Amino acid sequence: MLEKHGVEPEAKHYTCVVDMYCRVGRLDEAHKLAKSIHVETPAEGALLWGTLLSASRLHGRVDIAQEASRRLIESNQQVAGAYVTLSNAYASTGEWEIAHGLRSQMKQAGVVKDPGCSWVEIRDSTFVFHAGNLSFERGEDVLRLLRELEGRMKERGYAGGSLGLVFFEVEQEAKEEIVSLHSERLALAFALIVIPKGITIRVMKNLRMCKDCHEAFKAISGIVERDFIVRDVNRFHHFRDGSCSCGDFW
């Protein structure tokens, strides 16, 4: 960069390299590089360690997730997300007691996760949806459609209600119900009812899309043969024909 283009490498450039290492599963190299990077601002550190935290959760590297979470919490950056992601990383490896303990620590520290909400813009109106809340226009129709889609997804081998979230002492049927009422699913079902076929559905979400909803959106795009674009707090996801443009890495 310096010799050929006259560009001095900065933290944001090294963070991109960390991200590339993570995408091909080379977590140890990504971790080593991250520790060597000097960041000037908390925002730069949040981007760097947030990238590594997401990747370590995805690849089941709890050891790296621990350090990434600690650095984010100590710098007062993405604190709620750090607690939740680390908790989910432990849960994904079956260490439920530790995961539960982290949730308890989060409450004791007074850290509150922002409530999830999603919205769609139709003509000149914006429709906002909150997780588990069906008190909106055509709420019963939305619930009916979601149940129908869940049934069709299960026929294709989809096992809902168990990915990307931490549940404690909740029966499987209840887990599925909780996940099926996430705000992005409510927004999608509403849009499927209201927006004519042939028009791409666009959903915005204020938090990171959970893995279970991501899998559901892929499956639904194939079932209804429509394109969906979701903009969550991390990136754009373009769902089409049962797959997503992010390649399941976000």
Side-chain angles (χ1 to χ4, degrees):
M1 287 174 60
L2 186 60
E3 292 179 4
K4 291 188 177 182
H5 305 285
V7 178
E8 183 76 37
E10 299 177 3
K12 61 184 178 182
H13 301 116
Y14 287 108
T15 299
C16 289
V17 179
V18 168
D19 184 53
M20 287 189 286
Y21 273 135
C22 290
R23 286 176 180 271
V24 294
R26 294 164 65 174
L27 270 293
D28 288 318
E29 289 163 281
H31 185 209
K32 182 178 179 181
L33 178 59
K35 290 190 294 183
S36 72
I37 299 172
H38 174 69
V39 294
E40 297 287 346
T41 66
E44 288 180 344
L47 184 60
L48 171 64
W49 291 102
T51 296
L52 198 59
L53 176 58
S54 294
S56 57
R57 179 204 58 82
L58 184 66
H59 290 284
R61 290 294 302 273
V62 175
D63 55 331
I64 296 176
Q66 283 181 314
E67 181 176 358
S69 298
R70 176 181 58 77
R71 288 181 180 259
L72 287 170
I73 292 168
E74 287 177 352
S75 65
N76 201 32
Q77 297 290 310
Q78 302 177 19
V79 175
Y83 271 112
V84 171
T85 303
L86 182 58
S87 175
N88 287 343
Y90 274 112
S92 69
T93 60
E95 298 186 69
W96 295 99
E97 288 188 12
I98 298 176
H100 186 76
L102 283 165
R103 294 288 177 135
S104 298
Q105 287 179 29
M106 184 175 170
K107 290 180 181 179
Q108 292 170 4
V111 178
V112 180
K113 180 183 177 184
D114 292 334
C117 75
S118 300
W119 60 96
V120 291
E121 295 180 357
I122 301 173
R123 299 185 182 89
D124 295 324
S125 300
T126 300
F127 298 86
V128 182
F129 305 86
H130 295 87
N133 188 340
L134 289 166
S135 61
F136 53 84
E137 182 183 356
R138 306 198 70 169
E140 290 301 317
D141 293 334
V142 163
L143 182 59
R144 193 177 302 112
L145 176 57
L146 285 173
R147 285 175 174 166
E148 177 189 334
L149 290 171
E150 287 278 350
R152 294 175 67 180
M153 286 190 290
K154 286 182 179 179
E155 291 174 359
R156 297 187 175 204
Y158 167 82
S162 59
L163 301 171
L165 294 170
V166 176
F167 297 101
F168 301 102
E169 299 174 0
V170 180
E171 295 296 332
Q172 184 61 32
E173 185 177 344
K175 291 180 184 180
E176 293 177 2
E177 185 70 12
I178 292 169
V179 175
S180 69
L181 295 181
H182 278 187
S183 63
E184 59 265 52
R185 294 206 200 187
L186 298 177
L188 175 63
F190 182 83
L192 283 170
I193 293 170
V194 176
I195 298 176
K197 193 166 184 177
I199 299 177
T200 298
I201 291 174
R202 292 173 169 82
V203 176
M204 305 290 286
K205 182 175 172 66
N206 70 327
L207 301 175
R208 180 183 183 275
M209 194 177 193
C210 83
K211 186 173 179 61
D212 196 275
C213 286
H214 191 268
E215 291 298 307
F217 269 58
K218 289 197 300 182
I220 294 170
S221 71
I223 290 170
V224 301
E225 298 180 341
R226 295 187 66 169
D227 283 19
F228 315 137
I229 293 175
V230 178
R231 177 64 171 103
D232 71 2
V233 72
N234 279 9
R235 70 186 72 241
F236 283 96
H237 300 269
H238 185 181
F239 300 92
R240 172 188 288 173
D241 298 329
S243 63
C244 179
S245 58
C246 77
D248 296 340
F249 189 101
W250 81 102

